[in-house]
Amino acid sequence: MDTETFDQFLEQLERYVRERLIPAEKQVIADDKIPDEIVAEMKEMGLFGLTVPEDFGGAGLNTTQYAKVVKAMSYAAPAYRSIFSINVGMFNSAIKNGGTDAQKAKWWPRIAEGAIACFGLTEPGSGSDSAAMATTARPDPDGNGWILNGTKRYITNAPHAEVALIMARTEKDALPKNAHVSAFIVPMDTPGVSTGSPDEKMGQSGSHISDIMLDDVHVPGEALLGGETGKGFRFAMMSLDNGRISVGAASTGYARRALDSAIKYANERQAFGEPIANFQLIQQMLSESWTEIYAAEAMMADVTARVDRGENTVKHAAAFKVFASEMCGRVVDRVVQIYGGAGYLAEYDAERFFRDARIYRIYEGTTQILQLQIAKHMLREYAAGV
């Protein structure tokens, strides 16, 4: 999308967030569900196909533009981002990086129209440790397809997704590294696919996660992403870079919302005959929060520009996600402190901000796993003389 058109779209989106999505947050929280009419509006706006090429019905956004959209959407309740971000940041990225022409032609138009996708990597016994993956895909003896068995856990959008990208073990051993994992495009209405009840969570009402159970699920040969075994993990990791940028952008947008709320509250709340915004230690918390959000915004601009230039951004995407998610945690903690006793009450937004933000430091790679990943890349670069 050209810059002028995108700027107009972003301006309209920011207005939609403030005038439509934020006023509906109480209903989303009460019902633990985004209203159907809002989901329909989001599909009509093209949010489910932001990065799908225009020739296939999408908006064709680059990564810089996509991150700006995520940040704008994340000023409202996190559920609004969750319902479309898997489509755009992970499923579509995997199709783009590893899909065959036939898979792109089949799935890109559906995603652009609003088919909801999910991403099946994590399992009860494995997350970042792909060597422990237990889900299997074995060749179908009656044809050229595959039979999948296993369980995936904590899968965002699973309860209402129409399609899943499932990582499964196609070889017993993990040599060469991660070559035992392949990726499969699995429609959720395929016989043998079922989901558990949505998990009850600490926060992020309206965003649903659940297990996916695969019981002798037969898929055709064309379901194998890229048409080759042993490349699924690489495709997954490449798409996780986009997912981590999405979480970083979401953390940054939500931190901005929390800070704006704290500024408003600090100017309205009176103590000792004046607004608490006049107190220097309140000002310190506000200024520290603004400074950290600014730093995250600068990181976002840098890493997305690198992606759009075609650079390897594994380390940079991980660093942005780590900093932004940890930053958001610090900001919402300060916001609760600024609200004081009111910050501990569900009646006020600060309590919800605190609960909602906690997951950002966990999914798409915990802070600790990503710190290890960053360090490994640093050491490899040192050894290579980079």
Side-chain angles (χ1 to χ4, degrees):
M1 185 180 292
D2 66 81
T3 301
E4 183 178 354
T5 303
F6 174 74
D7 289 344
Q8 292 173 352
F9 170 75
L10 189 62
E11 182 180 348
Q12 293 171 352
L13 182 65
E14 290 172 342
R15 186 163 57 249
Y16 177 74
V17 167
R18 285 164 171 77
E19 297 177 1
R20 177 67 165 134
L21 298 188
I22 290 177
E25 286 178 341
K26 289 185 178 179
Q27 182 182 354
V28 170
I29 294 168
D31 298 342
D32 191 25
K33 181 179 184 294
I34 302 173
D36 291 339
E37 60 270 23
I38 289 182
V39 175
E41 291 166 6
M42 291 169 64
K43 291 181 179 181
E44 182 67 24
M45 293 171 68
L47 293 177
F48 287 77
L50 290 172
T51 58
V52 172
E54 294 180 77
D55 290 345
F56 292 86
L61 300 191
N62 61 30
T63 303
T64 297
Q65 294 169 333
Y66 163 58
K68 288 180 178 179
V69 169
V70 169
K71 178 173 171 285
M73 286 292 293
S74 299
Y75 194 84
Y80 297 122
R81 178 200 74 99
S82 291
I83 200 165
F84 75 87
S85 65
I86 303 299
N87 279 36
V88 182
M90 299 178 73
F91 186 88
N92 180 53
S93 177
I95 296 292
K96 176 182 177 181
N97 293 324
T100 64
D101 289 342
Q103 288 167 341
K104 293 173 182 177
K106 179 177 181 178
W107 288 106
W108 270 346
R110 299 188 190 187
I111 293 299
E113 290 173 1
I116 297 174
C118 61
F119 191 85
L121 176 62
T122 302
E123 298 185 359
S126 71
S128 302
D129 179 15
S130 68
M133 184 175 292
T135 297
T136 60
R138 69 179 191 275
D140 187 342
D142 298 325
N144 71 338
W146 299 84
I147 302 175
L148 278 62
N149 282 280
T151 300
K152 298 296 180 178
R153 179 147 292 173
Y154 308 139
I155 307 303
T156 301
N157 288 340
H160 40 254
E162 296 169 54
V163 61
L165 189 67
I166 299 292
M167 304 300 144
R169 178 185 290 270
T170 48
E171 302 290 343
K172 180 179 180 181
D173 299 319
L175 294 173
K177 186 177 181 181
N178 298 319
H180 63 300
V181 181
S182 301
F184 295 85
I185 304 172
V186 182
M188 293 293 283
D189 61 358
T190 305
V193 177
S194 61
T195 59
S197 300
D199 295 311
E200 295 186 10
K201 311 184 305 301
M202 177 188 293
Q204 303 223 355
S205 296
S207 173
H208 300 140
I209 64 173
S210 74
D211 288 1
I212 297 178
M213 284 74 76
L214 307 160
D215 184 14
D216 284 341
V217 176
H218 291 247
V219 295
E222 55 264 30
L224 177 62
L225 185 66
E228 295 182 56
T229 60
K231 294 188 176 181
F233 189 79
R234 181 168 65 87
F235 295 145
M237 292 303 100
M238 292 171 69
S239 61
L240 281 176
D241 283 350
N242 270 9
R244 286 161 185 167
I245 289 172
S246 177
V247 174
S251 300
T252 305
Y254 208 48
R256 178 69 68 184
R257 167 76 180 283
L259 178 58
D260 286 349
S261 172
I263 293 170
K264 182 176 184 293
Y265 184 84
N267 277 281
E268 294 174 349
R269 175 75 167 90
Q270 297 275 328
F272 305 103
E274 59 181 316
I276 63 172
N278 292 346
F279 301 157
Q280 289 181 337
L281 291 180
I282 296 293
Q283 293 174 2
Q284 179 188 23
M285 288 189 283
L286 294 174
S287 66
E288 285 179 344
S289 297
W290 186 91
T291 300
E292 290 196 273
I293 293 170
Y294 175 55
E297 291 172 340
M299 290 182 74
M300 186 177 89
D302 177 72
V303 68
T304 55
R306 289 176 182 272
V307 173
D308 289 334
R309 290 196 298 265
E311 297 180 18
N312 184 326
T313 57
V314 172
K315 183 173 64 175
H316 298 83
F320 172 49
K321 195 268 185 183
V322 167
F323 179 82
S325 61
E326 294 287 342
M327 172 276 295
C328 187
R330 290 189 293 270
V331 169
V332 296
D333 186 70
R334 293 187 195 112
V335 169
V336 170
Q337 199 70 10
I338 290 168
Y339 269 73
Y344 200 70
L345 302 182
E347 176 184 352
Y348 294 86
D349 287 338
E351 180 265 352
R352 170 168 63 93
F353 296 153
F354 189 86
R355 288 185 293 103
D356 285 345
R358 188 61 184 85
I359 189 62
Y360 291 140
R361 294 151 63 187
I362 296 173
Y363 61 15
E364 315 303 357
T366 65
T367 291
Q368 289 69 34
I369 283 292
L370 295 183
Q371 286 171 331
L372 291 176
Q373 187 180 77
I374 293 166
K376 287 178 181 178
H377 277 80
M378 292 170 62
L379 295 171
R380 286 176 194 156
E381 289 167 0
Y382 175 79
V386 177

